[in-house]
Amino acid sequence: MKIVSYNVNGLRQRISQFGSLRNLLNSFDADILCFQETKLRRQELTADLIMADGYESFFSCTRTSQRGRTGYSGVITFCRVKSAFSSNEVALPLAAEEGFTGLLENSQASKDELPFMTDDLKEFSKDELISLDSEGRCIITDHTHFVLFNVYGPRAANDDTERIQFKQKFYSVLQKRWESLLHQGRRIFVVGDLNIAPFAIDRCDAGPDFENNEFRKWFKSMLIENGGKFCDVFRAKHPDRREAYTCWSQSTGAEVFNFGSRIDHILFAGSCLHDSDDLQCHCFVRCHVNECDIMTQYKRCKPESIPSAHRWKEGRSIKLEGSDHAPVFMSLHEISEVALHSTPSLSARYVPMIHGIQQTLVSVLMKRKVSEQIKSCKMAHEDIAMHSTCEGEEPANKAASSATSPNECRFLPRQVYEGSILKPNELSRGSSQEAVSKSVNESEKSIMHKCKKPNKKARNSQWSQLSLRSFFQKSTNLDNDISCSSYTDFSNSQDEPSLPNPQLHETPTVSDHSISPRQCSLDTDAYDQDLAGSKDSSTKEEKSNVASLEWQRIQQLMQNSIPICKGHKEPCIARVVKKQGPNFGRRFYVCARAEGPASNPEANCGYFGWASSKSRNK
């Protein structure tokens, strides 16, 4: 049997990286996979995110939105099985539980109904206990031979009092749950990202105060060598291995130099599976754990692909694909089969919002409603296009009212785009704009066909705002143009009758009717000559030169304002303080090299400098 623990840093991203959830799971070739930091919200769950053929899944999502933690954490356990309904496989659990307080399934339960040592929990209120499980940080599965805890431990900065208290309560209650199971004679595996590096050997930059951290002290007190009940399986197999890290900073490129920490663990507590009273000769890790190691092939940065720190120069020259954590695995042997049993009710296959989501009565009715909306939109657009060439200004008004009506295609729900032959951009603006532009083009030809070049200039200058009404806006040039066109049309209409033209109704509003055809043609020729002159070309050239010079000036200022790091004499990169406090939003500069040990001259030299001005996040 093989068990894997992996902080995926967003399950959607890992699924996208591997093409599908099944491909991701199969890549580990494991029987039980425990993922942390899935970043999935319960209301957004779909079958393709948490269900795969050949696997049963048990998940927990964030139930609170405090401090912006919606979709923040989340854990999920996948169990590879041949049969989900009658199986003797150890990987398929007999029971499963979301959280570890026992209160999530029945929030109305009293303390007397808690499944473990209630006397030791009198210091915590019911609301406090429920809040510990509200961030989706634990899934428990019972595999007969052992109970498996998939845990994503909370992170707490040194100056964040609220989160420190939350983390203290979290591990205090969790420890009591472990002790309760051990008191019952159960074996326990605790796997996951605990956000604690226990020893100095597990941290790249362990300083003098490293050992004084209260959570680090708590972790050590849980280990057998310090009188506790748990064994750190990795350290039991590799007691002296250094630089065995599982997590690296994303923002500093620390993975380039393997400058990280080991915070992803597999812990075990309990007796051996063999029937023996000789505790000295029998130990579960020694008898049943074949191997426990870090799966470095899942690291984002591989030594053979990134030979030097220069690949991280300027901070963003390469994209590291994958999580900022590496998985940890453990292989077991001599694990016997268990009695026939079925999948627990907590499995994702039994969640109504997941199972059968592909087809419901509501979705069928929605598809019918959507098709009717598309049909009505098409009919409306065809009607606009048919009347636009003979009703003058009215079609533009109809199109405008149609564009703002609730039945307009661009306001259709998202489901319209799925399964439709129309693309979203065609639904949102293609049909309506095509009809409106067709009506505008037809009106252009009937109104301005005598003065094409002035019309071309107007179209070039106001194309983004073009409408039928814009042709009747009065300006010095357009008044003359309309007068010329109206006079000419009127004179021609004496010999040959024409169709009614909306422009003829505008003729009486023009103040000067004494313009002769010759004067009109002279004005038009002069206007054309002005368009063809060198004024426009020279203006464009001047604007282009000014823009080019201004851009060069900005670039020069930027280069001059960027400091040079003292270690490598290279331009630094700018960052912004995102932590709340007096310096929030303030910009600073740091060395652009990847973070690494101080002994390596190729790594970040540690340069830091504040920028002269502040920039606020928006």
Side-chain angles (χ1 to χ4, degrees), residues 138-427:
C138 183
I139 278 287
I140 306 174
T141 50
D142 186 346
H143 300 266
T144 306
H145 295 307
F146 55 85
V147 179
L148 178 65
F149 284 74
N150 180 3
V151 179
Y152 177 39
R155 180 181 178 274
N158 294 332
D159 56 350
D160 194 337
T161 305
E162 181 180 347
R163 292 305 289 178
I164 290 176
Q165 292 178 351
F166 179 87
K167 189 171 183 177
Q168 290 171 339
K169 295 177 183 177
F170 182 90
Y171 281 124
S172 177
V173 177
L174 188 59
Q175 179 180 352
K176 294 181 186 301
R177 184 65 189 270
W178 294 339
E179 292 172 349
S180 174
L181 290 170
L182 291 174
H183 183 73
Q184 300 171 27
R186 303 301 306 274
R187 304 175 188 87
I188 301 175
F189 275 113
V190 179
V191 305
D193 175 7
L194 302 185
N195 263 309
I196 302 174
F199 303 100
I201 194 176
D202 299 314
R203 182 71 176 267
C204 60
D205 56 351
D209 297 332
F210 179 83
E211 304 289 343
N212 297 330
N213 181 275
E214 61 174 305
F215 298 108
R216 194 161 289 117
K217 291 180 179 179
W218 170 82
F219 191 108
K220 290 181 179 180
S221 69
M222 297 290 294
L223 300 179
I224 293 176
E225 51 265 39
N226 294 316
K229 300 292 185 180
F230 284 87
C231 172
D232 183 346
V233 181
F234 176 83
R235 278 297 167 211
K237 290 293 182 180
H238 311 281
D240 301 321
R241 184 185 293 182
R242 294 185 174 275
E243 298 184 354
Y245 306 135
T246 63
C247 179
W248 303 265
S249 171
Q250 292 188 91
S251 60
T252 63
E255 201 167 343
V256 172
F257 294 105
N258 191 27
F259 197 68
S261 58
R262 189 176 71 92
I263 60 177
D264 300 86
H265 303 285
I266 297 179
L267 309 178
F268 175 80
S271 61
C272 176
L273 291 177
H274 297 136
D275 294 329
S276 175
D277 296 330
D278 188 358
L279 299 179
Q280 298 295 328
C281 297
H282 288 271
C283 167
F284 187 94
V285 174
R286 189 183 305 116
C287 295
H288 301 287
V289 177
N290 186 43
E291 181 59 282
C292 181
D293 211 337
I294 302 169
M295 306 179 75
T296 56
Q297 65 269 30
Y298 286 86
K299 290 175 60 176
R300 296 176 302 165
C301 178
K302 299 177 177 58
E304 62 272 13
S305 61
I306 304 177
S308 70
H310 294 284
R311 295 292 299 275
W312 186 259
K313 189 177 178 180
E314 297 180 4
R316 291 292 182 268
S317 58
I318 57 173
K319 181 181 179 180
L320 300 180
E321 187 180 37
S323 173
D324 55 343
H325 288 249
V328 180
F329 82 95
M330 172 182 60
S331 59
L332 306 176
H333 60 89
E334 295 188 25
I335 307 296
S336 59
E337 295 179 344
V338 297
L340 288 173
H341 61 285
S342 300
T343 300
S345 59
L346 191 66
S347 173
R349 72 163 54 247
Y350 298 124
V351 178
M353 62 180 293
I354 304 300
H355 186 65
I357 197 172
Q358 293 82 357
Q359 190 76 356
T360 62
L361 183 60
V362 174
S363 65
V364 172
L365 296 177
M366 179 61 71
K367 290 178 182 178
R368 181 179 300 175
K369 183 179 179 181
V370 165
S371 63
E372 291 175 357
Q373 288 177 337
I374 295 176
K375 185 177 180 180
S376 63
C377 287
K378 288 182 178 179
M379 293 176 63
H381 295 152
E382 290 174 359
D383 184 65
I384 292 173
M386 181 175 64
H387 290 82
S388 62
T389 57
C390 59
E391 294 182 4
E393 183 178 337
E394 190 176 351
N397 294 334
K398 287 184 178 180
S401 64
S402 175
T404 57
S405 67
N407 293 328
E408 169 60 19
C409 284
R410 62 181 171 184
F411 294 105
L412 288 177
R414 183 177 180 183
Q415 288 88 339
V416 176
Y417 308 145
E418 300 176 0
S420 173
I421 60 174
L422 294 177
K423 295 180 180 179
N425 59 347
E426 292 173 343
L427 282 172

Side-chain angles (χ1 to χ4, degrees), residues 434-553:
E434 184 179 353
V436 173
S437 62
K438 182 183 292 186
S439 64
V440 171
N441 291 335
E442 292 293 331
S443 300
E444 281 179 27
K445 294 178 182 179
S446 62
I447 295 174
M448 303 300 290
H449 69 281
K450 296 296 182 181
C451 301
K452 294 181 180 177
K453 292 183 178 179
N455 180 43
K456 183 176 181 181
K457 182 176 181 180
R459 189 185 301 129
N460 289 336
S461 62
Q462 295 183 349
W463 178 250
S464 61
Q465 303 273 337
L466 193 59
S467 66
L468 190 61
R469 187 179 294 275
S470 66
F471 291 107
F472 301 104
Q473 293 176 350
K474 294 180 181 181
S475 64
T476 305
N477 292 332
L478 288 177
D479 284 346
N480 293 337
D481 297 339
I482 295 174
S483 299
C484 296
S485 177
S486 301
Y487 186 91
T488 306
D489 289 343
F490 182 75
S491 62
N492 291 339
S493 65
Q494 295 177 352
D495 298 330
E496 181 179 352
S498 61
L499 293 174
N501 194 320
Q503 193 176 14
L504 295 178
H505 298 288
E506 293 292 324
T507 304
T509 63
V510 181
S511 59
D512 189 2
H513 294 280
S514 61
I515 303 175
S516 65
R518 181 179 180 185
Q519 183 179 352
C520 179
S521 63
L522 290 174
D523 292 342
T524 304
D525 293 339
Y527 192 86
D528 294 341
Q529 186 175 1
D530 180 68
L531 285 175
S534 59
K535 184 176 180 178
D536 286 350
S537 61
S538 62
T539 302
K540 291 181 180 179
E541 186 175 353
E542 289 177 1
K543 289 182 178 179
S544 178
N545 291 336
V546 170
S548 178
L549 291 174
E550 182 65 15
W551 178 240
Q552 291 178 7
R553 186 183 69 83

